[in-house]
Amino acid sequence: MSAASMEADHRAESVLRQAGWRVCTPHERDIRPDATAVRTDHPDRPELLLYLLYVDRELSGLVVAGKDADDPHELLADADRLAGPLFEQHPKRTWQGRPLPFRYATNGHVWRFRNALDAEHLDGTASRVAPEGGARSRYVYAPARPATVARWKREAGRNPEAPTLRARLRLLPAAQLDPQRQLYDAQRRSIEGLERSLAADRPRALIQMATGSGKTYTVVQASHRLLKHARAHRVLFLVDRTNLGDQAFGEYHDFVPAGSEMPLHEEFPLKHLSGSNAGLADSDKIVITTIQRLWCKLTGRKQPEPGSEEAKKFEASGTAGLGSALPQVRYSAELPPDYFDFIVIDECHRSIYGSWLPVLEYFDAHIVGLTATPIGPTFAFFQDNLVSQYTYEEAIADEVNVDYDVYRISTRITREGSKIPAATEAVMPDGTIERVNTVLAHVDRMTRAQHWRQQEEDDEYKPFELNARVESPSQIRTIIETFRDRLFTEIFPPEIDPETGEILHTRAQVPKTLIFAATNRHADAIVEEVRRVWNKGDDSFCMKINSETPRPAKAISDFRNKPEIRIAVTVDMIATGTDIPALECLVFMRDTRTWSYFEQMKGRGARTISPEDLRKVTEDALCKDRFVIVDTVGVTEHAMVDARPLVRDGEPEMPSLERLLKACSEGRPLSVDDAATLAGRLSRLGQRLDEEQLTKIEGSAGGRKLTELVTDLVLATDPDRLAGQRVRAAVADGDIALREANGVGDAVLAESLRPFVEREALREALLEAARARRWIKIDHLSRDGGVIAEGVTDLMRAERTIKDWRAYMQDRRERFTDLRIAFDERRPLGEVRTRIEEVLSLVTPPQQRWTDKQLWKAYVDLGIARERRRRGAGLPELLSVLRFELGLDGNEFRPYRDTVELRFQEWLARQETAGLTFTDEQQEWLRRIVGVVATSATVSLEALDQHALCRAEGGWSRFREVFEGDPRTPDELIDELDRELGA
C-alpha cells in the first residue's frame, strides 16, 4: 500500500474510532456484541481497503477507503457493487440475509453515505414510491454511530415496507387541522410543500412566509408530524438571537396536537438549551438553541451565563462571539453528526447560514429555512428550493396581517442639512456687538464622555451626516413635537360619520409606538426628547430597548404587556423576529437601504391582535385594522438594495482597518478577501468624511483621491476581471505566459496596495479620520423648521406603483414584446400565462414585487381603469392592465369583460355569415360562457360543472344536450369558444 493510501486509511480508522467503532483485523474479530469495523483487503483493488461493519454480531454495512485523490462518489459506487458479493460470502452473518444496506466511502477527507433501504423494502424488493435512480447518496461528516445503526435496524424491522426515515417521509398522511387554532391555507400549503420536498429527498428547503403569518407555528405543526408519523429521532430549532429562542420555546411548549389532550412537549420532550451547564438527554426530541451555544457545545467551549454581559454580546447578533474566522468544528461524542434528523433555521435570511456554515454541515440532517425576506444568498444556500411562498400582500388579503399607511414628516435640516458657524455675533448689555467663538460639545460614542471644543471654521454638514457625524437636538425635537401634535389629528384622526359629520370616536392614549434610531447615542437623545415633549420624567412612558439594556427580554415583555409603557426606542434589537401585536405605529428616524431589513422592521407592526387584547394595553383603541409608518428620513421613498458588501459577510471575519493598514506597513501581503474588505471599509469611511478630511487624505496619497484608491482595490479583487487578464496574458505571450499567468492577479493586487504599503502619511491620515468617527458633534446652534407633514394617499401610492411598473416594462421590453406577440396571435391561455409568469419572475427583491391585486388597485385609484372595484382582482384584471400597457386596445383602457364581449359579438357575426343560428336556450348558454371567460380568462369542459353560472343550469350534461344538433361537437364548440374569447 502506498504512503498516501496508508495515510488516508489512518484517517478513516481514526474517524471510525471517534464514532464508536472498534477497528480490528479478521483474526482479531470475536463474537463480542460490541460494534466492530473489520479491516480487510479489497478483492479487486489492492490500493483500497474495506471495513466490514458488524452491529449486534450481524454484518450490516461496509466502508470503502481510498487515497486522497480518489473521488468519494466513485468509491461509493464500488461499495454498492460489493454489497451483494459480501452478503454471498457471509450469508449467515449478514443482517436480514440481504445485501449490506449501510454503505460508506471515504478518501480520508470526505465521507459519503448511501442507505439502500431508502429505496427498498426490508426484503430487498424495490419500493414503488422510491425516487428514480434508487437511494440517493449524501455527504456526511463521519459514519453513524453503532447505536444509530442499531436503531435504524430496529426501525426497519418494525416497518419493513418503509424501513427508513426517508421512506416514511414519502408516506406521510394528509395534513390535519388543529381544532384549537385552525391552520391558515398558507400554513397548510407550507407544510404540504415541505413534505413534498422531503419526500423527494431534497436536502434543503426554504419556506417564505410574510412576517406575522405564523412561520414558527407552521414548523411546530410540521415537527409534530415528522416526529409522530415519520418517526424522526430528533428536531433542532436553531436561532441566532436569544429572544427568538424564547419565543420558539413558547410556541412548542404550548402546542396541543389535533386530536390529543396531551401537549406536544409531554409526548416528545422539549429542551431549551440556554444555560451554560445545560445538557442534552437522549430522550430529548425537540431542541431549541442559538447557533452560538450549539457551536460551544460542539467544540467544548465554555458558554456564558444567561443574562450576563458576556452572554448579551455573545448572542446579540448573528456572528457575535465567532472570532476572526469561520467556526471550526470537530467530532463531538456528545453531539455526533447523526444526532438530529432535521434542523430548522429561523430568520434564515441573516448570517446564520453563511458565517456558521461549518456547524450546519456537520450534522447529517435535512435543513429547513424560515424567512419573510429571502435574499440572493438565502436562495443560493437552499439550492433555490422554495417550497412555499406567502407574500405580505397575500397575508393582508387573508387578514392574517394588517395593512399600513405612511405618514411623512420632513424638516429643513432633514432635507438640507445645516451649517455650524465658527463664530456668532452677540449683543452686549452696552449695545455693542461682539463676535463670540462657537464652542460645541463632542460626545464619545463608546463611553458617552463629553468634551467641549472650539469650532475653528464653519462646518456645513449634509443630511446623510446626521447622527453619523453631527447630532442636531433641534432636528430631533422638531420631529418628536410634530409627531405629538399630529398624532390624534392626522396620524390617528378622529373617526367621523361620513353622512352626518359627527365625531364617533377619538383617541387620547398614545398608541404603542416603536421608534428606530440610528445609533445608541441617537436613541438616548430620542428617549430624552420624547420624555421632555410629553412631560414624562420617569421611565414608564418611554424606554430604550437594546442589547445593552439590562434584561432585554424582560424589557420587551414589559413593552408588550404593560399599558403604561407607550413608546420604545431601539436601534435593531426589535427589528426582527419579535412579536408585539399591539404595536400600531413605527417611527423611522434612521434610514436603511436594505430591502430585507426594511421588510423585517416593517413587519413589527403587521401583527394582528383581537380588539379585546388590544384594549388591555391601549384602552381607547377600537381595533387594529392598520398600522402607521411615520417616515422621517425618506425610507419609504427611495429604492432598496440587497447587494453583496465589499466587507464579505459569510466568509472569515476580516481585520479592522487599523490591522489591515498595519499589515501594509509591515509589508505583509493581503489576501484578495482582505483587500476587498479594505476597499469596503475605506469606501464606507469616505462617504462620511468632510472635505477637509478628504483633502488631507488626498495630499498624503500624492494627489490621488480616496475614491481612486478604492476603485483600484475593487478592480484588483474582481475575479472575472482577473480571469480575463490571465487569459489575455497567456494568449499574448504563449506557453511561457501560461505558466506565469497565475501571477497576473498577484501583480495587479500588489500594485493596488502599493500606496498603502509605501506611504506612512496616508496610513496615518486614514487612521486619524477613522478614529475621529468615535466622536459625534452636537449642533446646539441650528434651529430646525420648515416642517412638511402629510399622509401618503392612495393616489401617491398609485402613481409610484405605475411609474415603477412602466419603468420595469421598459427595462424588460424584449420579454414584453414576446408577450405582445402571444396576445396578437391569440395563443392559448396556458402559453400566455407562462409568458406572464416569466416576466414577473424576473422581479426579485429588492425590486417592487407586483401582484395582480396591487396593480389593479393602482390603475383604479389613478382613474385609468373604469371600474370601482379596487380589491379582489385576479388574472382577468391583470390581462386588462397588460393589454393597455402593450397598446393592444388603442389608447383606451378596456376592462377584460369588454374585450371578451367584443370578441363574442365578432364571433356571433361570423356564425351568422356562415348561416348558423342559435335557439334562445343556446344563446343563454353562450352568454353564460361569456361570463365564465370574463371571470376566468378561459373556459373548459370542467368549468361547466365547476362555475356557478353553468353548474346551476345543469353543467356539462345540459350543455351537451342543448347543442346536440350543432355542426360541431360540444367538445369542439367549447374549444373554439375558449380560443376565440379567452386570453
Side-chain angles (χ1 to χ4, degrees):
M1 182 182 293
S2 68
S5 298
M6 293 176 64
E7 180 65 23
D9 179 52
H10 174 74
R11 286 194 295 266
E13 290 195 10
S14 175
V15 173
L16 282 165
R17 290 191 176 95
Q18 284 181 332
W21 296 88
R22 180 170 65 90
V23 182
C24 66
T25 65
H27 300 295
E28 296 169 326
R29 191 182 73 83
D30 52 36
I31 60 173
R32 282 165 34 193
D34 60 333
T36 306
V38 178
R39 181 177 60 245
T40 185
D41 294 331
H42 190 286
D44 307 318
R45 301 173 61 185
E47 74 276 13
L48 304 181
L49 276 181
L50 293 183
Y51 296 87
L52 306 182
L53 305 180
Y54 285 85
V55 177
D56 298 331
R57 300 189 181 93
E58 296 172 317
L59 180 55
S60 306
L62 75 156
V63 178
V64 174
K67 304 186 299 297
D68 288 9
D70 286 335
D71 185 345
H73 290 86
E74 295 179 1
L75 296 175
L76 188 58
D78 197 52
D80 292 332
R81 181 181 63 83
L82 293 174
L86 286 171
F87 151 65
E88 294 171 359
Q89 292 176 25
H90 310 279
K92 294 183 179 180
R93 297 179 183 173
T94 306
W95 174 59
Q96 291 293 323
R98 53 151 296 142
L100 283 59
F102 309 120
R103 305 163 189 174
Y104 290 93
T106 181
N107 60 5
H109 300 282
V110 176
W111 289 75
R112 291 201 71 82
F113 170 58
R114 190 193 320 276
N115 186 344
L117 293 176
D118 286 342
E120 299 175 359
H121 300 151
L122 188 55
D123 62 8
T125 58
S127 170
R128 62 179 180 80
V129 293
E132 185 177 351
R136 296 177 181 174
S137 70
R138 59 185 185 269
Y139 160 85
V140 291
Y141 186 86
R145 296 167 296 162
T148 300
V149 175
R151 173 168 58 82
W152 290 346
K153 292 166 62 176
R154 292 193 301 272
E155 292 173 350
R158 287 194 293 265
N159 191 349
E161 299 300 305
T164 69
L165 171 64
R166 283 165 172 75
R168 294 189 292 273
L169 288 172
R170 296 192 289 268
L171 301 172
L172 288 171
Q176 297 177 349
L177 289 175
D178 177 354
Q180 276 78 39
R181 177 178 169 184
Q182 295 290 308
L183 284 168
Y184 303 125
D185 286 340
Q187 292 173 316
R188 187 183 301 104
R189 290 197 305 270
S190 295
I191 293 174
E192 292 170 349
L194 172 61
E195 292 181 356
R196 283 194 299 271
S197 175
L198 295 175
D201 202 11
R202 300 287 297 273
R204 298 175 184 175
L206 178 61
I207 296 174
Q208 184 265 317
M209 294 180 68
T211 298
S213 60
K215 295 187 294 294
T216 305
Y217 184 77
T218 300
V219 168
V220 171
Q221 285 265 13
S223 299
H224 174 255
R225 289 174 53 75
L226 295 172
L227 290 163
K228 187 174 184 66
H229 301 300
R231 295 194 296 282
H233 191 56
R234 196 173 282 111
V235 174
L236 170 66
F237 191 96
L238 205 54
V239 298
D240 64 345
R241 286 161 172 78
T242 307
N243 63 311
L244 301 183
D246 296 337
Q247 290 180 190
F249 180 80
E251 289 272 17
Y252 273 100
H253 188 273
D254 296 340
F255 177 68
V256 179
S260 173
E261 297 181 358
M262 180 187 300
L264 174 66
H265 68 87
E266 292 185 10
E267 185 178 4
F268 299 103
L270 173 66
K271 171 61 67 71
H272 190 191
L273 195 63
S274 57
S276 59
N277 297 317
L280 289 166
D282 192 60
S283 58
D284 295 329
K285 296 299 179 183
I286 305 168
V287 179
I288 300 171
T289 190
T290 62
I291 187 76
Q292 294 93 336
R293 290 190 181 273
L294 183 69
W295 176 49
C296 287
K297 208 74 174 167
L298 274 176
T299 56
R301 284 172 170 78
K302 182 181 178 181
Q303 302 180 47
E305 288 293 337
S308 66
E309 287 300 318
E310 184 183 1
K312 289 179 187 177
K313 297 177 182 178
F314 186 65
E315 295 176 305
S317 63
T319 56
L322 181 56
S324 60
L326 281 177
Q328 299 300 310
V329 297
R330 59 174 183 264
Y331 193 94
S332 168
E334 184 181 8
L335 278 177
D338 53 38
Y339 198 77
F340 299 107
D341 286 330
F342 296 95
I343 298 176
V344 179
I345 306 176
D346 193 25
E347 304 293 352
C348 67
H349 57 280
R350 293 203 291 257
S351 62
I352 191 169
Y353 57 82
S355 302
W356 298 97
L357 185 60
V359 177
L360 298 173
E361 294 192 335
Y362 168 82
F363 293 101
D364 178 23
H366 286 91
I367 300 178
V368 181
L370 302 178
T371 182
T373 54
I375 58 177
T378 319
F379 287 110
F381 176 79
F382 288 95
Q383 302 168 351
D384 291 319
N385 186 27
L386 182 64
V387 300
S388 69
Q389 186 175 28
Y390 188 52
T391 65
Y392 180 72
E393 292 79 13
E394 291 173 308
I396 292 173
D398 293 342
E399 298 183 353
V400 173
N401 279 345
V402 297
D403 203 352
Y404 67 96
D405 292 326
V406 176
Y407 190 87
R408 295 188 296 208
I409 297 176
S410 172
T411 71
R412 179 185 59 79
I413 291 180
T414 306
R415 296 189 299 271
E416 304 170 7
S418 189
K419 182 169 76 171
I420 305 171
T424 57
E425 293 182 345
V427 179
M428 297 293 103
D430 60 1
T432 61
I433 297 176
E434 184 174 328
R435 187 172 176 82
V436 180
N437 292 333
T438 299
V439 178
L440 295 182
H442 291 64
V443 178
D444 189 297
R445 296 175 184 276
M446 304 297 294
T447 66
R448 272 52 166 200
Q450 183 171 282
H451 297 273
W452 293 87
R453 299 177 185 173
Q454 182 171 313
Q455 187 75 20
E456 299 296 337
E457 58 184 25
D458 292 351
D459 182 359
E460 186 171 350
Y461 58 89
K462 305 298 183 183
F464 67 84
E465 295 179 284
L466 275 171
N467 306 306
R469 185 173 70 84
V470 180
E471 178 185 297
S472 169
S474 180
Q475 186 250 4
I476 297 172
R477 183 178 308 116
T478 302
I479 289 173
I480 298 301
E481 288 178 346
T482 304
F483 175 60
R484 177 201 60 190
D485 296 342
R486 309 292 178 95
L487 185 58
F488 299 119
T489 58
E490 297 178 10
I491 302 174
F492 290 88
E495 184 179 340
I496 299 175
D497 189 316
E499 295 182 0
T500 66
E502 178 186 358
I503 296 177
L504 302 177
H505 178 71
T506 60
R507 297 182 63 169
Q509 188 177 21
V510 176
K512 287 278 186 179
T513 298
L514 180 62
I515 301 177
F516 292 110
T519 64
N520 271 328
R521 163 68 203 179
H522 189 213
D524 291 336
I526 292 171
V527 169
E528 181 179 345
E529 201 58 50
V530 167
R531 291 173 180 170
R532 189 199 66 79
V533 166
W534 264 277
N535 195 25
K536 303 291 184 180
D538 58 11
D539 296 345
S540 60
F541 182 78
C542 177
M543 63 188 301
K544 186 178 82 169
I545 304 178
N546 256 9
S547 56
E548 63 180 26
T549 302
R551 302 175 65 189
K554 182 180 184 301
I556 292 172
S557 176
D558 288 346
F559 179 50
R560 181 189 296 118
N561 300 314
K562 290 186 176 181
E564 62 268 25
I565 304 176
R566 305 313 305 169
I567 298 176
V569 183
T570 189
V571 178
D572 54 17
M573 180 73 180
I574 318 179
T576 65
T578 303
D579 289 337
I580 306 177
L583 268 177
E584 294 184 84
C585 189
L586 303 179
V587 181
F588 281 82
M589 294 184 70
R590 60 160 291 185
D591 198 3
T592 177
R593 303 218 168 224
T594 304
W595 168 83
S596 59
Y597 195 50
F598 174 68
E599 289 294 315
Q600 290 287 333
M601 297 164 82
K602 184 180 75 176
R604 299 315 99 206
R607 263 62 170 177
T608 57
I609 185 173
S610 69
E612 296 77 16
D613 289 339
L614 177 59
R615 284 193 289 272
K616 289 178 182 177
V617 294
T618 306
E619 293 179 0
D620 62 0
L622 294 179
C623 66
K624 182 180 177 181
D625 57 2
R626 65 162 190 154
F627 70 99
V628 179
I629 292 176
V630 178
D631 182 3
T632 74
V633 291
V635 69
T636 61
E637 300 173 20
H638 60 61
M640 298 284 178
V641 298
D642 262 331
R644 185 185 186 202
L646 285 169
V647 180
R648 305 217 169 150
D649 297 331
E651 296 174 3
E653 184 177 316
M654 297 302 167
S656 66
L657 176 62
E658 186 170 358
R659 289 174 60 195
L660 289 168
L661 292 177
K662 183 178 180 182
C664 291
S665 71
E666 296 173 351
R668 288 186 280 122
L670 297 187
S671 67
V672 171
D673 283 336
D674 282 344
T677 295
L678 177 60
R681 296 198 189 285
L682 293 177
S683 177
R684 294 176 186 179
L685 175 64
Q687 293 172 13
R688 298 191 293 264
L689 298 183
D690 56 30
E691 287 300 323
E692 179 184 355
Q693 291 168 311
L694 289 172
T695 300
K696 184 174 182 179
I697 291 171
E698 183 178 344
S700 64
R704 298 191 66 192
K705 293 184 178 180
L706 180 59
T707 53
E708 295 175 5
L709 301 175
V710 172
T711 299
D712 285 352
L713 287 170
V714 171
L715 294 176
T717 56
D718 182 346
D720 295 332
R721 183 173 179 272
L722 290 177
Q725 287 180 321
R726 292 188 185 102
V727 171
R728 288 191 293 273
V731 170
D733 297 333
D735 292 339
I736 295 177
L738 279 172
R739 293 193 298 271
E740 299 177 351
N742 287 334
V744 171
D746 295 338
V748 174
L749 181 61
E751 184 62 28
S752 69
L753 290 168
R754 185 191 298 275
F756 306 99
V757 173
E758 297 179 350
R759 293 181 176 271
E760 182 180 358
L762 172 61
R763 296 194 298 270
E764 288 301 322
L766 290 170
L767 289 175
E768 180 183 342
R771 289 164 184 157
R773 304 301 306 157
R774 283 190 57 180
W775 297 90
I776 187 165
K777 185 181 296 185
I778 310 300
D779 175 14
H780 65 272
L781 295 178
S782 298
R783 292 293 175 263
D784 206 358
V787 174
I788 300 174
E790 60 182 356
V792 177
T793 64
D794 287 336
L795 184 63
M796 294 177 182
R797 287 182 176 178
E799 289 174 343
R800 173 75 178 273
T801 296
I802 294 176
K803 178 183 177 182
D804 290 348
W805 169 245
R806 287 173 173 168
Y808 174 74
M809 291 186 69
Q810 179 64 24
D811 290 342
R812 298 287 189 273
R813 51 186 174 275
E814 292 183 3
R815 295 293 188 109
F816 280 95
T817 298
D818 292 341
L819 179 60
R820 180 193 174 103
I821 293 172
F823 275 123
D824 280 338
E825 296 180 354
R826 303 286 290 280
R827 295 181 186 175
L829 177 65
E831 182 175 343
V832 173
R833 181 179 287 169
T834 297
R835 292 190 179 276
I836 292 173
E837 290 173 353
E838 286 176 355
V839 296
L840 291 181
S841 69
L842 300 174
V843 185
T844 56
Q847 290 176 298
Q848 174 68 56
R849 294 185 295 176
W850 295 282
T851 64
D852 42 22
K853 297 179 179 62
Q854 182 186 24
L855 281 171
W856 180 251
K857 179 180 180 299
Y859 278 80
V860 172
D861 287 344
L862 209 57
I864 297 174
R866 303 191 319 271
E867 291 191 12
R868 295 181 180 178
R869 182 167 61 89
R870 299 166 63 206
R871 303 189 185 276
L875 178 61
E877 287 74 22
L878 179 59
L879 293 174
S880 295
V881 168
L882 288 168
R883 291 182 62 84
F884 173 72
E885 293 296 347
L886 293 171
L888 295 169
D889 298 324
N891 296 324
E892 181 184 3
F893 189 98
R894 182 184 296 167
Y896 189 69
R897 178 176 288 277
D898 291 0
T899 298
V900 175
E901 183 65 41
L902 178 62
R903 291 174 177 175
F904 177 62
Q905 295 301 328
E906 293 172 348
W907 180 81
L908 273 181
R910 291 196 296 272
Q911 307 310 301
E912 292 177 5
T913 301
L916 296 175
T917 59
F918 299 100
T919 67
D920 290 345
E921 186 175 7
Q922 286 175 331
Q923 289 189 42
E924 290 176 0
W925 267 101
L926 291 174
R927 298 301 312 176
R928 293 186 191 105
I929 290 173
V930 169
V932 171
V933 176
T935 56
S936 306
T938 186
V939 67
S940 63
L941 302 180
E942 294 78 10
L944 300 185
D945 286 328
Q946 296 169 357
H947 201 287
L949 281 173
C950 303
R951 187 175 63 244
E953 302 299 326
W956 162 243
S957 298
R958 184 57 187 160
F959 176 85
R960 186 174 52 194
E961 294 172 3
V962 170
F963 286 92
E964 188 172 358
D966 193 89
R968 295 150 294 199
T969 67
D971 302 45
E972 291 171 342
L973 181 58
I974 287 295
D975 288 343
E976 182 177 334
L977 289 169
D978 181 47
R979 185 173 58 254
E980 294 290 338
L981 306 184

